[in-house]
Each structure stands twice: as C-alpha cells, then as structure tokens.
Amino acid sequence: MVKKIIDFLAGLPMTIAAGIFLLLDLIPHLIEECGGGTVALPFLPFDPAWITVIISGIPLLYLAIWRILHNPGISKISSALLISIAMFAAIAIGDLFAAGEVAFIMAIGAILEEATTNRAKRGLKKLIGLAPVKGRRLRDGKEEMIPAEEIQQGDILRILPGETIPVDGEIVHGETSVDQSIMTGESLPVDKGLGDTVFCGTINRFGAIDIAATKVGEDSSLQKLIRMVKEAENKQAPMQRIADKCASWLVPVALLIALAAYIATRDIVTAVTVLVVFCPCALVLATPTAIMAAIGQATRQGVIIKSGEALEKMGKVDTIAFDKTGTLTYGRLDVSDILCFDKSVDQRKLLSLAASAEAKSEHPLGKAIVAHAKAKTVPIMESVSFQMTAGRGIYAEVMHRKLLCGSEKFLAEKGVRITGDVQTTLEGLRTQGKASVLIADAEGCIGVIALSDVLRPEAKEMVARLSAIHTRTVLLTGDNRKTADYFAGQVGISQVQAELLPEEKVQNIEKLQAEGHTVCMIGDGVNDAPALKTADVSVAMGSMGSDIAIEAADIALMSDDISKIPYLKRLSNATVRTIKASITLSMCINFAAIVLSLLGLLNPTTGALVHNAGSCFVVLIAALLYDRKFA
C-alpha cells in the first residue's frame, strides 16, 4: 500500500502538479526580491510550496530511508539523503520554497532517469512460448499425443510436415528438410536423413520422420537457449546514478561545511543555504537529460536505444560481432546464376523449364526460382506427374519433357550422369556460399540454377568505416563454413566463426570479453538472443528481426540500415562528453554558490534559484545533442 502511494506521488502527473504549486510560490518571492514587499496569494489560505514538499518530498524521504535500511555499507548514504536533510533544514527555518525546489528537481531527475532505463521484458516470454507443448509418441505400433514434459530419452516420436520438433533427437526413419533458423539462423532449410540430428523448436518442413529422443526437458537445445537468455539478463546490473556514487563523500562534506558555516557566522540561515546549494540536483539531471536528448536524436535516425547504459558502452566498444543472415545480408534467397550445360538451351529457356517444374513445389529453393521467373516475366508452363522427394528434389513433365530438379545426389540416384565439368561448376558455386539446383532431362544434366542470400549494399562500406575508427569486426554465424567465408570476404571481415549453435556464439563472445575486449553483438534471429544478452552492448535489426532478438538487444535499427553502427559510436562518445561537461559545470556552480553563501550574499531562496539555474544550464547543454549532426 505504501509503495503504491509513493509510486503515485512520484509519477509524472503528480510531479507536474508539484511544479505548478512551486511556480505559484515563486511569484511572490520574485516580487519580494525585486523590492515589491511581502506578497501573499489571496486565493490560497496556505503556502503553495507545502504541496510541492508533500508531493515530491515524501518519495524522496522514502527513498533515503529505504536505502539506509536495505543498502549495504557506504551505499546507505545517497544523494536522496543529502537532499532530504536540506529539505528539512529549509522547512525548519521556514523557507518552504527552497525545500520544495530541491525536492522537485530531484523528482524530475528520477522521472527522466526512469524514462531512459526502462527495459521491455516480453522477449523472454515469447521465447518460452516457442517451446513445443506436445509430441506424437510411437508405442506398440500406435501413435499417442503426450505433453512434451512426459517425453523420455529413447522414446520414438513421429514428426509430420509443418510440425515443431518437441525434443532433440536423431532421425531413425524418413527424410525431410528442417527449418533450423531458430537455432542457427540459417536462411535455408537443412536436408536431413537417417542418422542426422534434429533440434527442439525447429520446424519439419516436408517429409514425415521418426526420431529417437536424445535430449529432453531442460537438456534440450531450446530450453538451453531460454536458460542462457535468463542468465544473461541477470548479469545485466542496473546502472547506478553518478550522484549516488558521489554521495558517500557529498553528504559528510556538505554537513561539515554547513556546520563550519554556522560556527563561523552563528547564522542558521547561512548553514541551511549551504545545504541547499550543495544539493546535487544538477548532478542528478546531467546523465538522464543528455541521454534523453541522445535517444531523441537517434530516434529521428531510425535507431531505438533502450537505455543510457547502452549509449555509454557503445562508445567503449572495440570489437563488433555480426550475425550473417538478416544482418549483413537481407535474409532472403534470390537467383544469382543461371548456367547452361546444353548449347540448345539458353538461360531464359532453362529458367522457364525449372520454374515450370518447380511451380508446385513448397521448397524455398523452388519458390525462389518461380518468383525470379515471374519477376523476369519468363513463361511458366503447366506441369504434370509432379513428384517430390523430401529433401532431395522433384520430378515433373513440362511440355512432354521429363525434368528432374534437385541436388547432385538426387540426380545420381535417378541415373543422371554428372560430368567433371558439372562437378567443377558446383564446387565453384559452393565456395561462393551458394545453393545449387541441377536441372536434367532424359539426355542428361542441362544446367544449374544457383541461389544465394543477398548481401546488403552498405555492408562493405560500413565495415571499412569501422576499421577506420579502429574497431575490429567478427562474423559469428550458424551457416556453413564456405558460405560464411564467402560473405565475410565480400564485406572485408577477416575473423570468421561458422556453423555455430547459440551457445557457441555465446562462448565466442565470452572469449573475446576474457581477452579484454568490449564487444557489441549485432543480429536479428531468435538464435542470436543469448549472444545479444551476453555482449556488452547489442544491436538488433528491427524491421526484419525477430521480436525476441529486438527485445533482447539494447538497441534496434528500425530501418535495418547497418551503416548506422558507426553513427552510434560517434553519438555515444558525444553523449559521454556532454555528461562529463555537465557534471563539471554543475560542480563549479555549486562551488561558487557555496562561496557566495558563506559571504552572506545568498539566502535559502536565492540560493535555490541559483541552484535551479545550474540545473537549467545542464538541461540546455544536453538539449544541444538533439540537433547535432552525427550521420
């Protein structure tokens, strides 16, 4: 109940109300200071600053007491304690405006800081929601649907096309293609056959398979993924306020100076004035205001920054690790090469034959070929006798021509001879990270269509710009080695780790951190979530990336423009410099105000106004960040 009241008083609506009442109290003080005599507001039977003291002072006092009771050691002494002391001292001598002003400024700082540090937690819930809840177990020749938690190691499970695999297992019967993007980020389904391993949470795309459960429950790959995100989340300690870090010496120094002032002057007003001007309100505002301005600046550039801590750490980053699919590339397949082995067939004719044969296929490679044919306005003819062998290829008759489209192994099984020239061509395409679909008729192999993920055009320049500012780049991907090496070579990344599962990405990041590097991870898939959480700071592709990756990351690129990464570093550096400048200015103003107070030139009210001016300067300096050019 008490916490609800405190939260209500500390909320934005009540803080705005506190500011209005403080302004009402300021008007008579300004008239009095200008020689207009004592003025009272006729429509209020009490000093309006009392309302500000109650609204903003009670949460401040609660925070100071809570920290004294619960914080360990020296951290019991906080900026809230110093401001509470100053507030009570001002009340004791009857200067309610000064008491209300220091409490109100502190309330504004708390609201700004909360606005910059709130982090969404929905991503973990979405990840947990991906866990399969049921599986189809085979026992005594019968199928039975059972809860996933009841599946035991060694159970035989049947997975139909389109179903999610409920546990890690090994295929004991059947062939298929499995969408493993949740685990590895691979853009293509992976062909699986007898003896191959499948992972929990991945999707069976085509043929029905039977698997023997090898890892179940908490040992499954998906549950490990969830557990890693949880653990990494717990490692993220909340950012302490700079003022609270300084409070351990601010409080005793302020009290000693105030006591010395009282002993020297025998004037309690001077001592209270010292306490008021010593309050670190500008110090409290320095960080959140600069961060708010920087976040606003970044938002205009299509970059969503979730915390001030992320900005600060981005400036310290010396190593950036990239995922490939959906990050350096668009994460979509497109036809890259159409190569003909039969001189009677040109590229357009080969594409027409392949698209016509694949028109009824549900395989992503077949769909990509058909889409490319449509984009090129190539005629697609009706096929008959369509047959699909899951994970291998298809057979179809087009214009009385019997066609096979599929892998080298599939064509060999159908009796099609693969010549040395064809094998050399295929090997060359593999070294470029491309998937190949061979097309054959009754006479033999007539051509090959290669497909590849599409590299983002800005990727190469972005890597070069990072290198220019002495930032190392690393590729961490679940794709196969040849694909990874090809794309890394295209953009200029020399350090490559391929064929990684989510936990292996985490291990690579932890290894870099152990070597003393500050690491930024950039990714877009569910499989990247643990690595995003483990890295010192992380960036997700907001437009095409998964919700879980976006929630796990500290920063999201809403336009998927990775050229914004160097921009983020420059913005972060400028923000840190602004915070340091604001802190220096606030300390200088406080020091000057203390000297003026000791000389008797300031009283609590005028001291509060000077103190407020320091806070305004800090806000103005931070606001300059908003319109600066960093792109």
Side-chain angles (χ1 to χ4, degrees):
M1 182 64 181
V2 174
K3 187 66 168 64
K4 287 183 178 180
I5 294 173
I6 296 300
D7 290 341
F8 173 71
L9 291 175
L12 183 60
M14 292 303 291
T15 301
I16 292 173
I20 292 171
F21 280 101
L22 187 65
L23 182 61
L24 289 175
D25 189 65
L26 175 62
I27 296 170
H29 282 289
L30 290 177
I31 295 173
E32 185 178 343
E33 291 296 327
C34 292
T38 303
V39 178
L41 296 174
F43 53 87
L44 285 175
F46 55 86
D47 193 325
W50 270 118
I51 304 297
T52 305
V53 170
I54 292 170
I55 292 174
S56 298
I58 290 176
L60 178 65
L61 181 61
Y62 175 85
L63 179 62
I65 294 172
W66 191 93
R67 287 178 175 172
I68 290 171
L69 295 176
H70 295 92
N71 282 12
I74 198 69
S75 61
K76 291 179 182 292
I77 302 173
S78 65
S79 57
L81 177 61
L82 175 55
I83 297 174
S84 295
I85 293 171
M87 181 178 68
F88 278 110
I91 292 172
I93 65 168
D95 198 325
L96 293 176
F97 174 78
E101 187 269 346
V102 292
F104 175 70
I105 294 295
M106 189 70 174
I108 290 293
I111 287 173
L112 288 174
E113 188 168 34
E114 182 180 7
T116 61
T117 57
N118 278 345
R119 300 282 300 277
K121 299 292 190 276
R122 296 188 301 272
L124 186 57
K125 292 180 181 178
K126 292 176 182 176
L127 182 57
I128 293 171
L130 293 176
V133 295
K134 289 186 177 182
R136 183 181 288 99
R137 183 169 63 188
L138 298 180
R139 180 168 288 182
D140 300 326
K142 296 181 180 180
E143 295 181 7
E144 56 178 347
M145 294 298 295
I146 62 172
E149 59 267 20
E150 293 183 12
I151 298 173
Q152 301 295 318
Q153 189 172 350
D155 281 349
I156 303 300
L157 306 171
R158 178 158 293 168
I159 319 295
L160 300 180
E163 290 185 343
T164 300
I165 298 171
V167 295
D168 289 7
E170 183 179 303
I171 296 177
V172 296
H173 183 266
E175 296 176 337
T176 188
S177 294
V178 178
D179 180 353
Q180 296 188 154
S181 59
I182 185 177
M183 297 302 298
T184 65
E186 289 176 283
S187 54
L188 293 174
V190 178
D191 295 336
K192 299 280 187 178
L194 190 66
D196 288 336
T197 299
V198 292
F199 301 108
C200 176
T202 59
I203 301 171
N204 180 27
R205 285 300 184 196
F206 302 110
I209 54 172
D210 294 343
I211 68 169
T214 55
K215 294 180 181 178
V216 300
E218 293 299 313
D219 292 329
S220 71
S221 301
L222 183 61
Q223 290 300 328
K224 285 182 180 178
L225 187 66
I226 293 169
R227 194 157 57 248
M228 282 188 290
V229 174
K230 284 182 178 178
E231 290 171 355
E233 179 73 45
N234 292 334
K235 290 178 185 176
Q236 298 289 343
M239 184 174 59
Q240 278 188 299
R241 293 188 220 176
I242 294 174
D244 283 335
K245 292 179 182 179
C246 301
S248 57
W249 62 267
L250 276 176
V251 173
V253 168
L255 292 175
L256 284 173
I257 294 177
L259 180 62
Y262 176 71
I263 293 172
T265 63
R266 295 295 174 179
D267 186 356
I268 188 64
V269 173
T270 300
V272 172
T273 303
V274 169
L275 284 176
V276 169
V277 298
F278 213 106
C279 286
C281 291
L283 198 60
V284 170
L285 286 172
T287 299
T289 51
I291 288 170
M292 284 289 284
I295 287 176
Q297 149 87 243
T299 301
R300 291 192 303 169
Q301 299 290 330
V303 180
I304 306 302
I305 302 173
K306 298 182 183 179
S307 72
E309 194 172 17
L311 266 177
E312 183 180 356
K313 287 184 176 180
M314 193 70 197
K316 299 176 183 177
V317 163
D318 58 18
T319 302
I320 297 181
F322 291 91
D323 175 47
K324 180 190 79 68
T325 306
T327 304
L328 293 177
T329 68
Y330 284 110
R332 67 170 187 261
L333 287 172
D334 199 4
V335 172
S336 58
D337 303 88
I338 302 174
L339 305 174
C340 303
F341 303 134
D342 186 337
K343 294 180 179 179
S344 65
V345 178
D346 61 14
Q347 289 185 345
R348 187 174 177 85
K349 180 65 173 178
L350 182 65
L351 178 60
S352 176
L353 289 171
S356 300
E358 294 278 10
K360 297 176 182 177
S361 172
E362 290 298 317
H363 197 283
L365 294 180
K367 286 185 173 182
I369 290 172
V370 173
H372 186 76
K374 289 179 178 178
K376 297 295 184 181
T377 64
V378 170
I380 299 176
M381 296 161 283
E382 185 67 25
S383 66
V384 296
S385 302
F386 177 84
Q387 297 174 15
M388 179 175 180
T389 303
R392 299 293 184 88
I394 62 103
Y395 165 83
E397 292 184 24
V398 178
M399 301 295 289
H400 306 293
R401 192 171 189 172
K402 297 178 180 179
L403 296 174
L404 293 170
C405 299
S407 65
E408 181 181 358
K409 185 176 181 180
F410 175 69
L411 266 62
E413 289 175 353
K414 299 299 182 181
V416 177
R417 181 172 171 267
I418 305 298
T419 64
D421 290 343
V422 173
Q423 289 177 336
T424 301
T425 300
L426 290 176
E427 186 58 32
L429 293 172
R430 289 190 192 103
T431 60
Q432 297 175 33
K434 297 175 181 179
S436 301
V437 176
L438 290 166
I439 300 96
D441 62 10
E443 301 300 320
C445 188
I446 61 174
V448 61
I449 294 179
L451 300 98
S452 175
D453 201 349
V454 181
L455 186 69
R456 294 181 185 274
E458 67 271 19
K460 186 174 182 178
E461 182 184 353
M462 181 270 301
V463 171
R465 289 169 64 192
L466 288 174
S467 297
I469 54 177
H470 310 292
T471 304
R472 184 169 64 161
T473 51
V474 179
L475 182 62
L476 303 179
T477 179
D479 268 359
N480 66 72
R481 167 59 63 177
K482 288 184 178 179
T483 300
D485 286 341
Y486 174 75
F487 279 102
Q490 290 292 298
V491 299
I493 296 176
S494 58
Q495 187 172 342
V496 181
Q497 298 294 333
E499 300 177 5
L500 301 177
L501 291 173
E503 59 264 32
E504 292 171 325
K505 287 186 179 181
V506 170
Q507 290 165 7
N508 274 273
I509 289 174
E510 289 175 340
K511 182 180 178 181
L512 289 168
Q513 291 170 329
E515 293 171 356
H517 297 289
T518 303
V519 183
C520 172
M521 175 69 192
I522 304 178
D524 76 310
V526 173
N527 62 295
D528 297 320
L532 291 168
K533 280 292 186 184
T534 302
D536 297 288
V537 63
S538 53
V539 181
M541 310 299 284
S543 176
M544 295 182 65
S546 74
D547 289 343
I548 292 166
I550 294 168
E551 298 295 350
D554 303 304
I555 301 167
L557 302 180
M558 300 315 294
S559 62
D560 287 350
D561 183 0
I562 55 175
S563 67
K564 297 295 183 185
I565 303 302
Y567 157 81
L568 273 172
K569 281 188 64 64
R570 291 195 296 273
L571 175 65
S572 174
N573 290 337
T575 303
V576 172
R577 287 195 298 268
T578 298
I579 291 171
K580 289 179 179 178
S582 296
I583 290 171
T584 302
L585 176 64
S586 68
M587 296 299 286
C588 290
I589 291 175
N590 278 11
F591 178 77
I594 290 169
V595 173
L596 293 175
S597 300
L598 294 174
L599 294 174
L601 299 176
L602 293 178
N603 59 37
T605 298
T606 54
L609 291 174
V610 171
H611 171 261
N612 202 10
S615 299
C616 290
F617 278 130
V618 165
V619 172
L620 288 173
I621 291 172
L624 295 176
L625 274 174
Y626 188 76
D627 290 317
R628 283 181 60 183
K629 302 295 182 183
F630 296 97

